[in-house]
């Protein structure tokens, strides 16, 4: 019977590390934008609560 051997780890592969870092950075940027854009609209542009909620709903994926 053949022995089971675990698959090699992806953590050591440079291209996987670059992919993972890029995905993590993109997710962090999207999260910051989802919060910052309505806040900036409310503070700097004096947007009404309705306008801020419309902007927040339009920026969701």
């Amino acid at each position: 019977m053949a022995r089971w051997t675990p698959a090699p780890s992806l953590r050591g592969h440079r291209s996987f590390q670059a992919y993972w870092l890029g995905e993590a950075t993109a997710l962090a940027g999207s999260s910051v934008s989802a919060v910052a854009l309505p806040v900036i609209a409310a503070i700097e542009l004096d947007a009404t609560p309705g306008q801020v909620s419309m902007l927040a709903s339009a920026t969701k994926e």
Side-chain angles (χ1 to χ4, degrees), residues 2 4 6-7 13-16 20-21 27 30 33-35 42 47-49 52 61:
W4 178 81
H13 294 279
R14 183 160 173 74
S15 54
F16 177 74
W20 190 87
L21 180 63
L27 180 62
S30 295
S33 294
V35 172
T48 65
V52 171
E61 293 181 14

Side-chain angles (χ1 to χ4, degrees), residues 5 8 19 23 28 31 33 35-36 44 46 49 54 58 60-61:
T5 57
Y19 170 76
E23 287 293 317
S31 298
S33 294
V35 172
E44 295 296 322
D46 295 323
M54 291 286 283
K60 301 238 187 231
E61 293 181 14

Side-chain angles (χ1 to χ4, degrees), residues 38 41-42 45-58:
L45 302 175
D46 295 323
T48 65
Q51 291 170 329
V52 171
S53 65
M54 291 286 283
L55 180 62
S57 67

